[in-house]
Amino acid sequence: MIKAIVANLKENSIVNLEPGHPDFFLTQRQFIKNKALLFRSYRMFYDHFLKIIHSQKCEGIILELGSGGSLLKDFLPDVTTSDVTEGVADLKVDAQKLPFKDQSLRAIFMSSVLHHIPNCELFFKEVDRCLINNGVCVMVEPTSNFLGRFFYKHFHHEPHHPELQEWIFDQSNSMLDTNQALSWIVFERDIKKFQQKFPNLNVECKEFVPTWGYILSGGVNYRPLIPKFLNFIVPAVEFILSPLDRYLSLAWIITIRKT
């Protein structure tokens, strides 16, 4: 019943597009630009990253992984964009084997990407290798809190498996074969394991961010859930509910700094 309702809410322009195809990402990019609430959510993610970038007093490459439909380059022209799909970014890149020299990256940004990486341990080894000292990796990821577990189990097409013991999973389709609980597994349940494996990577911040605007916008796949004339109330709603973000937010930002 729930899946049928969700399917009926899907944006018509994306229904027949294959996830991961260049046209799919192009359409999603237009959604982000044209949906005010969705644009506001992404701008919040970008601003978080830009604040860190502007506070750095070092040189090096700024890399975005999983650029797909991202608009980050509009706000940070110097960023090197990348994706596993050919032709949608500056580079085609596998996050498990980054094509960069040791200590050449000053920052990595990734939005909803970590949970698409089938062996994140290989990725973190690459982060450790490629980041300069004091370099950062900023990840926006799905939550596995009270609302997150319910929402991603019943309303999202990608798998969410917080019960899995391993950090790896089988993958034949990079867009659909995922584990949206991966960031919770690594940075909450198995945080001591992460610290032991990667002592140079310090988890500097884990911040729950308001996502009601994202939800009500329909995100990058679904039609808006409220009419445009009600958009103005969303910031107030998010502010009022912000003390409950730990339990009700569907996204958090994890910042890692190499020491």
Side-chain angles (χ1 to χ4, degrees):
M1 178 67 175
I2 292 178
K3 289 184 177 180
I5 294 173
V6 172
N8 287 330
L9 289 173
K10 202 154 191 179
E11 287 277 8
N12 293 330
S13 58
I14 211 168
V15 169
N16 295 319
L17 295 179
E18 179 185 352
H21 188 277
D23 290 342
F24 177 86
F25 289 130
L26 180 62
T27 303
Q28 288 193 326
R29 188 177 293 118
Q30 291 304 314
F31 288 158
I32 297 171
K33 287 183 176 181
N34 297 331
K35 293 182 177 183
L37 291 178
L38 185 59
F39 181 84
R40 176 176 171 271
S41 294
Y42 274 89
R43 185 62 194 266
M44 178 174 56
F45 302 153
Y46 298 153
D47 285 346
H48 182 99
F49 182 60
L50 293 173
K51 183 178 179 180
I52 294 174
I53 289 296
H54 294 151
S55 69
Q56 286 182 311
K57 300 185 184 299
C58 55
E59 295 184 357
I61 299 167
I62 303 173
L63 174 69
E64 180 182 33
L65 289 171
S67 300
S70 172
L71 301 180
L72 179 60
K73 206 174 185 73
D74 292 352
F75 304 99
L76 187 63
D78 292 339
V79 69
T80 298
T81 59
S82 69
D83 202 275
V84 295
T85 299
E86 188 81 50
V88 299
D90 297 329
L91 299 173
K92 181 180 179 181
V93 165
D94 179 353
Q96 299 166 123
K97 191 176 181 180
L98 297 177
F100 300 97
K101 296 180 180 179
D102 296 358
Q103 299 188 51
S104 60
L105 304 180
R106 62 181 279 203
I108 301 170
F109 177 77
M110 43 206 291
S111 178
S112 294
V113 174
L114 179 67
H115 64 273
H116 287 264
I117 301 175
N119 190 331
C120 69
E121 188 170 341
L122 293 179
F123 165 65
F124 290 124
K125 287 180 180 178
E126 288 293 87
V127 172
D128 193 9
R129 179 183 69 82
C130 293
L131 279 182
I132 62 173
N133 289 335
N134 207 39
V136 295
C137 178
V138 178
M139 297 166 281
V140 183
E141 280 294 305
T143 58
S144 291
N145 54 19
F146 173 78
L147 182 60
R149 294 193 182 208
F150 176 81
F151 179 87
Y152 291 118
K153 179 180 179 180
H154 296 287
F155 294 96
H156 204 280
H157 59 279
E158 293 177 34
H160 185 270
H161 294 301
E163 75 282 359
L164 294 185
Q165 295 304 305
E166 300 297 327
W167 295 4
I168 61 175
F169 51 86
D170 294 330
Q171 186 177 78
S172 58
N173 185 310
S174 63
M175 290 294 292
L176 300 178
D177 298 329
T178 72
N179 182 9
Q180 293 194 99
L182 186 59
S183 65
W184 175 82
I185 291 172
V186 174
F187 296 112
E188 283 289 321
R189 191 193 72 191
D190 294 349
I191 184 60
K192 290 184 178 179
K193 177 181 174 180
F194 178 84
Q195 292 168 336
Q196 290 170 353
K197 284 182 173 290
F198 305 102
N200 296 329
L201 301 180
N202 178 50
V203 181
E204 186 174 79
C205 179
K206 294 182 287 187
E207 178 183 344
F208 292 90
V209 292
T211 49
W212 293 106
Y214 188 100
I215 296 169
L216 295 172
S217 75
V220 293
N221 291 299
Y222 300 98
R223 298 195 300 274
L225 302 181
I226 62 173
K228 288 182 179 180
F229 70 84
L230 291 179
N231 283 356
F232 77 96
I233 70 171
V234 173
V237 171
E238 290 185 336
F239 177 77
I240 292 169
L241 295 177
S242 60
L244 300 176
D245 280 348
R246 170 172 288 276
Y247 310 102
L248 301 180
S249 174
L250 295 183
W252 62 340
I253 302 177
I254 303 106
T255 302
I256 295 174
R257 188 176 297 273
K258 183 177 177 181
T259 56

